[in-house]
Amino acid sequence: MRFTSEQRLDDGIVERAFTLDEIPGFLWTPSSAPAPVPLILLGHPPLGLDRMYPRLVARARSAVTGGFAAATIELPGSGDRPRLAGAEQAGADLRRAMEAGEPVSDEIIDALVLPLVDRAVPEWQAALDALLSLPGIGGPVGYSGGVISIGIRLAVVEPRIVAAGLFAGSFVPRTMFEEARQVTIPLHVLLQWDDEGNDRQAALDLFDAFGSKEKTLHANMGGHTGVPQFAGEDAAGFFARHLR
């Protein structure tokens, strides 16, 4: 991991940009802390860190003021990273189906999501290795938001992640439902009830499939971008319970 820039934000937060094997990312930490702090990995959709930065830094501020470190990395195929094979065609097929009002086929969802999950999860694990080796950062680790299928896979294969806050707002391949049954860590799942791009019943079926003994579904009225402020506060409380 190589740090490429550092700046101090208000509220005593230090933001450092880094690269890890040519993958860009950000780390936000308290400017001072009496002991190593837990870490929250901030997931995001594959729209590029530049475009997602305002939302990511707002989430990072909340995490750091709550007593955590926060970090994120650029997803495969996003930003300036090379595009994933087949992703552009799958995206075009998705847009065509949605514009025509047609059901989105399992084949399109698989082609769009599964290669991303297969590439992204090992990269998140490599980033976690590097982040936990830094002074001032310790366990436990939580995962928050982003592509829900990435969160599912990480919850299954990465034992250092002990709690996850997931956003039911993206397409989920059918094979991920089987992986969801293997998830056992505490979950906080957010669902926007009127999300125009989300299959509500599929989101409910996925929540039912999770194998966790502790899982909470927070459903709020409104579309994809209408998440109420108190929903973020509820998520912060969830991580405070499980990471401290």
Side-chain angles (χ1 to χ4, degrees):
M1 175 176 285
R2 180 174 63 88
F3 289 105
T4 57
S5 70
E6 178 177 321
Q7 64 172 328
R8 290 183 177 268
L9 309 181
D10 53 9
D11 302 322
I13 299 171
V14 177
E15 176 188 278
R16 285 179 283 177
F18 65 82
T19 59
L20 179 67
D21 295 330
E22 306 305 318
I23 301 169
F26 287 100
L27 170 64
W28 296 271
T29 55
S31 57
S32 62
V37 295
L39 174 65
I40 298 178
L41 303 177
L42 300 181
H44 53 90
L47 300 175
L49 284 182
D50 287 347
R51 180 173 172 183
M52 293 302 302
Y53 177 81
R55 290 166 60 182
L56 286 165
V57 76
R59 293 166 60 195
R61 287 178 188 273
S62 176
V64 175
T65 56
F68 308 108
T72 194
I73 57 174
E74 185 75 90
L75 290 177
S78 296
D80 293 328
R81 299 191 62 189
R83 295 298 176 254
L84 293 176
E88 291 187 2
Q89 182 60 53
D93 292 342
L94 172 65
R95 290 189 294 273
R96 184 162 49 249
M98 296 185 70
E99 289 169 0
E102 300 172 351
V104 179
S105 69
D106 289 343
E107 290 76 13
I108 293 175
I109 295 173
D110 288 355
L112 190 67
V113 178
L114 291 178
L116 176 63
V117 173
D118 290 342
R119 283 281 303 276
V121 168
E123 293 179 354
W124 273 114
Q125 291 181 292
L128 188 52
D129 290 339
L131 291 162
L132 290 178
S133 71
L134 297 173
I137 300 178
V141 180
Y143 177 84
S144 173
V147 177
I148 195 169
S149 292
I150 293 176
I152 292 170
R153 177 73 59 79
L154 277 169
V156 172
V157 304
E158 181 46 72
R160 292 172 292 185
I161 295 176
V162 302
L166 304 176
F167 185 25
S170 52
F171 292 103
V172 181
R174 286 294 162 188
T175 58
M176 297 306 302
F177 282 72
E178 291 304 316
E179 294 193 35
R181 294 183 174 90
Q182 303 173 48
V183 175
T184 59
I185 62 175
L187 297 176
H188 178 102
V189 182
L190 177 64
L191 170 64
Q192 286 300 103
W193 200 250
D194 305 303
D195 189 339
E196 59 281 358
N198 184 44
D199 185 332
R200 183 196 303 164
Q201 189 58 55
L204 295 173
D205 291 344
L206 179 63
F207 180 78
D208 189 51
F210 284 122
S212 303
K213 291 183 179 179
E214 180 187 336
K215 56 180 180 180
T216 303
L217 178 67
H218 284 244
N220 297 288
M221 305 305 292
H224 188 80
T225 59
V227 180
Q229 180 176 348
F230 63 77
E233 296 168 357
D234 291 340
F238 167 80
F239 283 117
R241 289 195 304 276
H242 292 289
L243 300 185
R244 289 202 186 118

